[in-house]
Amino acid sequence: MKSVFVDGILEGKSALITGGGSGIGAGIAARLAAQGAKVTLVGRTLEKLERVAGEIKAAGGTARAASADVRDYAALEAVIAGHAEAFGGLDILVNSAAGNFLAPASTLSANGFRAVIDIDLCGTFNASRAAFAHLAKAGGCVVSVTATQATIPTPLQCHAGAAKAGIEKLTRDLALEWGGSKIRVNAIAPGPIEGTEGMSRLAPGDVADGLKRRVPLGRYGTIDEIAEAVLYLVSPAAAYVTGATLLVDGGTSLIGAGPFLELMG
Ligand code: HXC
């Protein structure tokens, strides 16, 4: 998909993307880089990050890979400092790292619940907090990836739903506190997006068929469509937008838990 934005809109900017080694995070990184941003991809598996960085470079962009677990604040601080040193600062933070699996709340272990809260919610706080001074210097912005499950009760997803709801609340709190530092803080809530690990894990077989039929726009979204919406949020077009969660879900949240209810048996 060709961007609707003027080419080079992020020239002179840099962005760090957690969860940049695959799926939505990788797509966002590629789109920001294609618009001129120098990007650092952060995740647990260096090999995946390097593969995406290689693709971005092959397309003419500037990218580096830095491995860190978003649950490890000190490691994040180090990769953010490395980014700022390599690229002369940090303008854009995208929080896309997420963990998830289908599990009934009645059998989910406390550690399983905590693992997802730690990755999604604490990881988002950790990266945002570690990036604060750099973003304040640049008058930068944060975009965090949530999900429609943040507001729509969805079976077998209480851990991820609670984490994503927490991120949306954190987004509003940080936007309030950090507006004075000229930092905008927003979130984006994708619906079902094709070609992601999340969709293959979370909507198996029959559920996927039923879901696709009932999405008001009649199809799954694409990673490109999420990346383009993030591009809007980090661009000057959104200069007066902060504390918002932008739904990019083809209307999926309008139908409630819908097809996911089949997962309850
Ligand atoms: C039940 C599970 C489980 C499963 C892990 N656990 N997988 N419980 N069902 N399928 C439990 C483990 O038993 C353990 O608890 C605890 O979680 C930690 O597991 P570990 O494997 O030790 O932890 P870790 O290596 O940190 O991995 C955590 C992980 C991660 C969350 C499972 O590997 C992961 O999610 N990977 C997938 C990444 C992914 O798909 N990302 C896209 C997400 S899609 P015990 O008690 O046994 O010690 C997305 C869309 C959002 O976010 C839509 C919904 C809101």
Side-chain angles (χ1 to χ4, degrees):
M1 184 172 93
K2 190 168 161 28
S3 177
V4 301
F5 287 86
V6 175
D7 284 347
I9 200 167
L10 298 181
E11 219 53 77
K13 306 280 186 195
S14 75
L16 184 139
I17 299 97
T18 72
S22 63
I24 288 176
I28 293 169
R31 181 57 56 112
L32 300 188
Q35 286 289 345
K38 295 175 176 162
V39 301
T40 297
L41 314 169
V42 177
R44 280 193 285 180
T45 316
L46 193 57
E47 199 182 36
K48 284 165 66 181
L49 302 169
E50 280 175 342
R51 192 167 57 238
V52 177
E55 287 164 9
I56 291 173
K57 285 192 260 188
T62 303
R64 33 193 306 282
S67 84
D69 188 323
V70 293
R71 292 170 282 194
D72 181 344
Y73 183 79
L76 268 180
E77 235 183 357
V79 299
I80 288 170
H83 173 103
E85 199 178 318
F87 295 146
L90 172 65
D91 303 279
I92 298 163
L93 168 68
V94 178
N95 291 302
S96 186
N100 203 0
F101 47 79
L102 292 174
S106 55
T107 56
L108 174 64
S109 73
N111 199 34
F113 186 86
R114 185 168 49 237
V116 172
I117 297 288
D118 276 351
I119 296 168
D120 293 26
L121 178 55
C122 300
T124 296
F125 174 78
N126 289 344
S128 305
R129 169 66 185 85
F132 172 77
H134 299 287
L135 295 174
K137 203 165 164 199
C141 62
V142 179
V143 176
S144 301
V145 179
T146 66
T148 51
Q149 287 90 335
T151 47
I152 309 295
T154 308
L156 317 190
Q157 293 281 294
C158 73
H159 41 314
K164 297 299 195 183
I167 296 172
E168 293 186 1
K169 178 60 165 61
L170 180 67
T171 294
R172 294 195 293 278
D173 287 335
L174 296 185
L176 181 71
E177 285 198 33
W178 294 358
S181 300
K182 306 288 176 261
I183 300 171
R184 297 184 302 106
V185 187
N186 292 294
I188 185 161
I193 304 302
E194 66 190 12
T196 59
E197 190 176 341
M199 274 312 287
S200 54
R201 277 174 181 249
L202 307 179
D206 301 354
V207 173
D209 294 343
L211 178 59
K212 201 176 275 186
R213 267 201 320 277
R214 282 180 241 172
V215 173
L217 285 184
R219 62 174 178 85
Y220 285 173
T222 66
I223 290 175
D224 267 358
E225 287 169 332
I226 299 302
E228 191 75 350
V230 171
L231 187 53
Y232 160 69
L233 286 173
V234 304
S235 77
Y240 202 53
V241 179
T242 197
T245 295
L246 179 59
L247 270 175
V248 186
D249 71 343
T252 303
S253 53
L254 303 173
I255 64 171
F260 285 103
L261 295 175
E262 288 166 30
L263 288 169
M264 288 200 293

